[in-house]
Each structure stands twice: as C-alpha cells, then as structure tokens.
Amino acid sequence: MSNNKLKVAVIGGDGTGPEVAAEAVKVLRAVAGGEQIALELKDFDYGGDRYLQTGEVLPEGALDELRQFDAVLLGAIGHPDVPPGVLERGLLLEMRFRFDQYINLRPVKLFPGVETPLKDKGPKDIDFVVVRENTEDLYCGMGGFLKKGTPDEVAMQTAVYTRKGCERCIRWAFDYTRKRNRKKRLTLVAKTNVLTFGHDLWWRTFQDVARQYPDIQTDYNHVDACCMWMVKNPEFYDVIVTTNMFGDIITDLAGILQGGMGVAAGGNINPEPGGVSMYEPMGGSAPKYTGKHVINPIAAISAAAMLLEHSGFEKAAARVMKAIQAVTGTKMKSQAAGKMGYSTQEVGDLVVAAL
Ligand code: IPM
Ligand code: MN
C-alpha cells in the first residue's frame, strides 16, 4: 500500500474458488469506489487445472510477479484429479513460506443471524481470534523415509521451532491483543506436558515477551483442554496464540462454532514493511458445487475485509464487516451451501447494497 493505492493479485483457484473470489472482488471494487481507494486487480489462473495441463503448480517467476502486489486474494485450492499435497504444498504452503507470512490470523466471530451448533450461545459469546504461527512446526516439510515399502519401514516428520519464529509470532499476538482492546487476554495454546522441548521454547518465550506487556492478562491452555473449553465457554477467549499444527486443528473447530466454512476466513500475514500477505476463505474448493452458484461467498468477502484492514484501509474494512453482518442478520436464511435463500452472486450484491 502506498498512499491510497492497493494492488491485489486474485487467484480464484479450483472448484468454487473463482465463484467466491468474484464476489469478494465485487465488494472490493464497490468499497474502493466509495473510499477513494485506487484499486488495481489482476487475475492469476494458478490451480489444479493449470497444473494438469502444464505439470507445474507455479510457473517460473510466479512468486516474483506476485511479490509486486500488496496482497493476494485466494479463492480455494483442491482438485479431484490432483493427488493430495501437490497443490497444498506447491501453492498455498509455498506462498506462506516464501513470502514469510508468519501470522495466520483467524477471527472467530459469530455474525448476527448465523446459527452455531453450541446450545445457548450467541454473537456476544463467540468472538475471539486465533493467531496461528504459519511457517514452522510440522509444516516445514522436514523428514523422510527409511526402508520405504518394507516391513521395517521408518517414517520421520520433524516439528521445527525456532526462538525467532515463535517470538515474532507471540510478540505480534501481544500487540494485536492490545490493539483489539477487548478483554485484553492472551491465551497460549500448546502441549508443554508432552512436547517438552519445542513447546518449552514456546512457553519460555511467551513468559519473556509477556513481561513487556503488563497490561495484557496471560493465560495458558493445553491444546486438548482448549478444545473442551472452546465448546463449553467460548466467551472466555479473547486472543489465542498457538503453534502451526495445533492452530490448524483448533481453527476448524472454531470455524464450525462461528457457522462453518461458508463464513470462516483467514489471513496469512507478513507484517513486515513491504511484506506480501494472502487472504483466503477457509472452506475448500467444494468440487460438487462448482458452477451451481450455491456456495456461500461470505467467507471470501470477510477475507477481503481482512485484506483491507491489514493493508491500511481500516475504515473500508469496517464498512465491509458491517455490511456482511447486515446481510447475515437480516437477509440470509442460512450459511449452508444451497440453503442461503440467494445465489452466490445475489449474496455479493446484497453486501454491496448494504455498504
Ligand atoms: C488451512 C488448511 C491448510 C493447512 C491445508 C490445505 C494445507 O487446512 O489453511 O487450515 O493445513 O494449513
Ligand atoms: Mn486447516
């Protein structure tokens, strides 16, 4: 972002990804018009179809080209004819790692009118944020096989934690908790009772950094207990900071509490000056719904709101968030695909109208 310019690379991706990305773009364009943001958009056709045609997920020079943008908006990846891991590693994790997007920010907010599976809980109870470390842990791809395919086979997959890696994430989470200015409570979620090396490093770093934030109340949950508390007392949480793998798992649980994959969005953020961040709806490519225009674009539109917020356009972001909540609260029948009472495009139009 410089002045009022915002350059966004749009990767619609696979399945229903392009359909929801198109609605997010529609809302971005509309709010940019109203807020005098000079929005520049460019589409990229990366995903399963291109991989099947060319044999490569990202062509030579793709990352250098994407680096020229302020942010990337991703629809979804996942193609029924591509083996698991190829697109995830080649596109999603590649961008997270190569752009050093070390924060995976996942707001867990139950919007008005949205159903949660939790009995007797409403929007005032489900409103917290998970800050997931996004570049280390079991995701770093370290490991290997020994005697593969024999009865003596050994497989190793190594979790890597560095002081620098956990400290920058924990520090960002403290700053974010302060800026959010709600309960001012930061909960570290880990498993120090079993992962006595890696999570001991997280624990010690958390304690060290906490000393510089006396205004923030600190708290600790083992990850298994966190799953229990999140269902029983979600209102307790304000901000959670956690490791990559645990963050992956608990944010699916959190996602269903906020109304499911049609609603949940995430930001893969490189907070450093000039860092390129990527925003995505958490739902998958839903191949069986492709082209039916029944998939919920609210998550993708929320991802666009996060993109605005973290690119320096906080007022525009707040307008989009407010419009989303007006639409979920007063228009949509359900957040489930095919049950919204509107098509994918109509939901996008409703958000634009509510801006
Ligand atoms: C997510 C997804 C990814 C992850 C997959 C698709 C590699 O589940 O963003 O949570 O595990 O991080
Ligand atoms: Mn996940």
Side-chain angles (χ1 to χ4, degrees):
M1 199 260 307
S2 63
N3 307 320
N4 64 335
K5 288 209 187 83
L6 179 62
K7 275 181 78 172
V8 180
V10 182
I11 304 176
D14 302 318
T16 53
E19 293 170 41
V20 294
E23 299 314 306
V25 164
K26 188 192 276 175
V27 174
L28 269 182
R29 280 191 203 280
V31 77
E35 295 286 325
Q36 275 81 49
I37 300 170
L39 179 67
E40 211 181 292
L41 295 154
K42 185 169 177 187
D43 277 307
F44 292 86
D45 67 350
Y46 307 141
D49 285 330
R50 185 188 167 116
Y51 169 75
L52 291 170
Q53 280 159 23
T54 65
E56 56 186 8
V57 181
L58 283 175
E60 179 84 23
L63 290 173
D64 289 331
E65 190 175 2
L66 291 173
R67 224 183 275 282
Q68 308 304 313
F69 290 80
D70 298 306
V72 179
L73 183 67
L74 179 71
I77 53 154
H79 194 292
D81 303 332
V82 179
V86 173
L87 298 167
E88 289 86 342
R89 279 229 150 261
L91 197 116
L92 189 66
L93 299 180
E94 183 73 3
M95 279 196 278
R96 287 179 183 173
F97 281 80
R98 295 286 293 278
F99 292 152
D100 206 20
Q101 296 163 341
Y102 59 86
I103 301 298
N104 192 327
L105 186 65
R106 300 196 159 176
V108 184
K109 184 173 168 63
L110 182 66
F111 295 143
V114 176
E115 225 178 293
T116 175
L118 296 188
K119 190 165 143 266
D120 302 332
K121 301 288 180 190
K124 68 172 188 337
D125 304 304
I126 301 173
D127 190 354
F128 59 95
V129 177
V130 179
V131 177
R132 163 185 173 190
E133 199 288 323
N134 211 28
T135 57
E136 301 197 333
D137 199 355
L138 285 162
Y139 279 77
C140 66
M142 266 178 77
F145 298 107
L146 186 67
K147 303 182 186 175
K148 191 174 178 183
T150 74
D152 298 326
E153 177 162 357
V154 180
M156 304 239 300
Q157 191 99 35
T158 305
V160 173
Y161 306 99
T162 68
R163 172 77 195 205
K164 180 181 157 189
C166 66
E167 185 168 339
R168 63 186 183 174
C169 176
I170 288 168
R171 196 172 288 285
W172 194 90
F174 271 103
D175 282 332
Y176 183 82
T177 308
R178 183 179 271 169
K179 188 162 174 232
R180 179 171 152 90
N181 198 21
R182 302 284 261 278
K183 299 190 181 85
K184 290 199 154 188
R185 180 186 294 139
L186 181 61
T187 303
L188 170 66
V189 170
K191 187 77 181 171
T192 53
N193 54 348
V194 174
L195 305 179
T196 52
F197 309 118
H199 289 202
D200 184 66
L201 175 60
W202 268 76
W203 168 259
R204 281 182 285 115
T205 306
F206 187 74
Q207 305 306 319
D208 286 350
V209 176
R211 272 184 226 111
Q212 290 155 34
Y213 296 84
D215 53 321
I216 306 298
Q217 185 196 335
T218 57
D219 176 41
Y220 174 81
N221 285 175
H222 288 319
V223 65
D224 44 353
C226 169
C227 292
M228 195 173 69
W229 291 121
M230 203 184 273
V231 170
K232 190 168 182 294
N233 296 107
E235 66 280 0
F236 179 79
Y237 292 109
D238 181 16
V239 181
I240 289 174
V241 63
T242 189
T243 55
N244 203 346
M245 189 80 245
F246 289 170
D248 175 48
I249 297 165
I250 68 170
T251 54
D252 263 31
L253 173 59
I256 203 71
L257 304 187
Q258 72 184 113
M261 292 299 142
V263 186
N268 301 268
I269 301 175
N270 176 336
E272 306 298 328
V276 180
S277 302
M278 181 211 353
Y279 300 86
E280 48 172 347
M282 265 171 62
S285 56
K288 70 174 180 183
Y289 292 125
T290 307
K292 297 199 158 60
H293 307 291
V294 294
I295 205 86
N296 191 346
I298 289 292
I301 299 170
S302 299
M306 288 180 84
L307 186 158
L308 289 166
E309 183 183 346
H310 295 277
S311 305
F313 298 101
E314 295 184 4
K315 183 158 161 268
R319 272 181 72 180
V320 175
M321 287 310 290
K322 203 164 153 239
I324 288 173
Q325 293 177 70
V327 172
T328 62
T330 64
K331 306 278 184 193
M332 295 172 76
K333 289 198 180 68
S334 158
Q335 300 301 312
K339 297 183 180 154
M340 302 187 291
Y342 299 94
S343 70
T344 305
Q345 292 97 325
E346 284 169 334
V347 173
D349 294 339
L350 286 169
V351 175
V352 167
L355 277 172

